[in-house]
Amino acid sequence: MKKEELIKLIQKLHSEDTTGDMVGVFHDRYGGITTTDSIRVDMDGGRILLAQEGTEYYKTNKKNWGTELKFIKKS
């Protein structure tokens, strides 16, 4: 997916799809599935970062996303 495609998708969301929680789901090549609510979109780096609960990065990832949202609200 390209950044432009993600932006277009978000801009065209139906109003009922714009609120509520998001969960990241990762399917590995061995059939395992990992879900998490620690999701961060890094537009500068072109990445979507997922952190599994129990990892050291889990809380940091959630905190960084909150920081990015605060920055956007100020601008």
Side-chain angles (χ1 to χ4, degrees), residues 6 22-26 36-52 55 57-58 60-62 64-65 68:
L6 177 61
M22 293 269 314
V23 176
V25 181
F26 174 77
T36 184
D37 65 343
S38 181
I39 304 166
R40 182 165 64 96
V41 178
D42 174 16
M43 293 301 279
D44 291 344
R47 303 175 296 171
I48 297 177
L49 301 156
L50 305 171
Q52 186 177 24
T55 63
Y57 193 66
Y58 177 83
T60 301
N61 197 43
K62 290 184 84 160
N64 288 346
W65 180 245
E68 290 189 36

Side-chain angles (χ1 to χ4, degrees), residues 7-23:
I7 291 167
K8 188 173 185 176
L9 175 68
I10 290 170
Q11 289 173 339
K12 301 289 184 179
L13 282 176
H14 191 274
S15 61
E16 66 189 28
D17 295 332
T18 61
T19 60
D21 296 331
M22 293 269 314
V23 176

